[in-house]
């Protein structure tokens, strides 16, 4: 009788536990919450902001090393070259000096609108070495550059409807020279570039706040951002567009040349922190949990916008 009771209890428990276990479609949904590898994201930002890259100043061996790192990762993540060998070289003069820069441009072909483009950008250059100190630029902007690889991982399982140009711009710190060259020498008609999503400083915030700039200039973008549901301990805010009394970031990074060409843009960034443009902007000072949420947020916003015809 005891054996019969135990068998009956085991059967009941098995049915109960089985009903609580995720079904195959539920398991897929749970797994797809992880749109990219958080560990890889941290490896990339740590590597690019290490002393080995010497602050990634435009035209230096450190910048060359960063360029090669980005190309290698794009290739490994099956990102197509948008230009030969991913490289768009350019020359410019800034501060009475001539520089040679290189934008790194990858392509993900769209499944529904292959001739319309969304440019997802970040700048890979930083301040280099000053007074024998390396300015590693972990937040500014190894954070955005590493996020480009997270997007590439996402696209492996979620191909975009629009074609996407993953743009690692050079010489942002020298007057946005790389992004200016990109739009002034556009490889595709500018009318075919429907949106720029720019990421510059997205890996740390004492208040867990990420700003989305650009909504003041486009009602569709404003609606999408306003409807975004924030994860716990994270806030996506609109502002810094010159219309709210806050510092105006409309022209502050590589989204500015797109805006000047009347191309809608969203700039994702955090408020300036104590290590901004200082040699202490190191990997050890980023906020990994916030950074992970920030990248997931930008990807989520992209996913929504990718389904809209601009």
């Amino acid at each position: 009788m005891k054996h019969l009771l135990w068998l009956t209890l085991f059967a009941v428990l098995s049915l109960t536990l089985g009903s609580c276990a995720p079904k195959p479609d539920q398991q897929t949904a749970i797994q797809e919450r992880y749109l990219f590898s958080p560990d890889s994201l941290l490896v990339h930002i740590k590597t690019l902001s290490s002393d080995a890259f010497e602050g990634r100043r435009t035209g230096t061996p450190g910048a060359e090393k960063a360029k090669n790192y980005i190309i290698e990762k794009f290739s490994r993540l099956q990102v197509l070259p948008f230009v030969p060998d991913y490289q768009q070289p350019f020359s410019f003069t800034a501060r009475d000096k001539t520089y040679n820069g290189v934008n790194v441009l990858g392509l993900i072909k769209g499944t529904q609108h292959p001739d319309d483009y969304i440019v997802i950008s970040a700048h890979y250059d930083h301040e280099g070495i000053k007074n024998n100190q390396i300015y590693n630029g972990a937040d500014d902007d190894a954070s955005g550059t590493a996020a480009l690889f997270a997007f590439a991982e996402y696209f492996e399982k979620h191909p975009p409807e629009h074609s996407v140009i993953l743009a690692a711009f050079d010489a942002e710190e020298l007057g946005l020279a790389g992004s200016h060259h990109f739009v002034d020498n556009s490889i595709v008609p500018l009318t075919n570039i429907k949106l720029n999503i720019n990421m510059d400083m997205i890996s740390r915030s004492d208040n867990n706040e990420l700003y989305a700039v650009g909504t003041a200039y486009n009602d569709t973008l404003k609606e999408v951002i306003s409807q975004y549901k924030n994860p716990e301990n994270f806030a996506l805010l609109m502002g810094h567009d010159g219309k709210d009394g806050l510092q105006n970031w409309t022209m502050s990074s590589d989204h500015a040349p797109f805006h000047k060409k009347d191309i809608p843009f969203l700039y994702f960034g955090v408020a300036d922190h104590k290590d901004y443009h200082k040699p202490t902007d190191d990997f050890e000072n980023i906020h990994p949990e916030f950074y992970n949420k920030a990248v997931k947020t930008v990807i989520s916003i992209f996913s929504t916008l990718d389904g809209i015809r601009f």
Side-chain angles (χ1 to χ4, degrees), residues 13-28 30:
L13 285 171
S14 297
L15 288 170
T16 302
L17 291 172
S19 65
C20 296
K23 296 177 182 179
D25 57 338
Q26 293 174 321
Q27 291 175 340
T28 300
I30 291 170

Side-chain angles (χ1 to χ4, degrees), residues 72-133:
E72 191 275 327
K73 299 309 174 189
F74 275 180
S75 178
R76 183 173 60 81
L77 291 167
Q78 301 180 42
V79 177
L80 300 172
F82 184 61
V83 287
D85 197 27
Y86 300 92
Q87 300 183 57
Q88 184 186 43
F90 59 96
S91 298
F92 64 101
T93 300
R95 303 171 191 176
D96 299 321
K97 182 179 177 180
T98 299
Y99 293 87
N100 295 312
V102 182
N103 293 329
V104 182
L105 307 176
L107 173 67
I108 306 292
K109 290 184 177 180
T111 57
Q112 302 296 321
H113 316 294
D115 295 327
D116 290 339
Y117 296 82
I118 296 175
V119 178
I120 303 174
S121 61
H123 72 91
Y124 72 89
D125 68 297
H126 193 56
E127 293 289 330
I129 300 174
K130 298 179 178 180
N131 300 318
N132 296 318
Q133 290 184 298

